[in-house]
Amino acid sequence: MVTELTAKNFEEEVLKSDKPVLVDFWATWCGPCRMVSPLVDELAEEHSEYKFCKVNVDDEESLAIKFGIMSIPTLIVFKNGEQVNKSVGALPKEGILELLQKA
């Protein structure tokens, strides 16, 4: 399951999570985002040891600004409430999983 994040639920869903969390910053008009999104969905089904979330940067501009999102897709991994890994641009499925495993 992939959780849609807002400024209201970000702290509860990400910063207070007991699992490492991958946050996908995306937008509907972004071509590379549309390639990454189904991969994040697949990984969420296959890897319950992680939490997967998405932020639509058009709807949640304050979160995009807070995390310095300049290009999308941007994937950020959080562990114990701290940002521990970040990747800008589209990644293959293996690359996304590797980003999580390095955290």
Side-chain angles (χ1 to χ4, degrees), residues 5-17 51 63 66 81:
L5 294 177
T6 65
K8 288 186 171 115
N9 71 356
F10 190 88
E11 182 177 348
E12 191 64 38
E13 295 290 343
V14 178
L15 303 182
K16 294 183 177 177
S17 176
K51 189 171 189 175
L63 286 175
K66 181 177 181 177

Side-chain angles (χ1 to χ4, degrees), residues 1-5 22 24 26 37-45 51-55:
M1 184 181 100
V2 177
T3 304
E4 288 290 334
L5 294 177
L22 177 95
D24 174 13
W26 69 283
S37 187
L39 303 178
V40 171
D41 294 343
E42 285 176 30
L43 287 166
E45 294 295 319
K51 189 171 189 175
F52 294 86
C53 301
K54 294 181 183 182
V55 174

Side-chain angles (χ1 to χ4, degrees), residues 23-87:
V23 181
D24 174 13
F25 289 85
W26 69 283
T28 54
W29 47 263
C30 165
C33 298
R34 290 196 298 270
M35 295 186 315
V36 169
S37 187
L39 303 178
V40 171
D41 294 343
E42 285 176 30
L43 287 166
E45 294 295 319
E46 298 166 4
H47 292 276
S48 60
E49 70 272 27
Y50 302 115
K51 189 171 189 175
F52 294 86
C53 301
K54 294 181 183 182
V55 174
N56 182 325
V57 296
D58 289 335
D59 295 341
E60 297 297 329
E61 195 176 323
S62 65
L63 286 175
I65 291 168
K66 181 177 181 177
F67 292 101
I69 306 302
M70 303 303 264
S71 299
I72 51 174
T74 293
L75 303 173
I76 300 180
V77 179
F78 292 86
K79 191 173 184 181
N80 301 321
E82 299 289 323
Q83 180 178 321
V84 293
N85 218 335
K86 181 177 183 177
S87 175

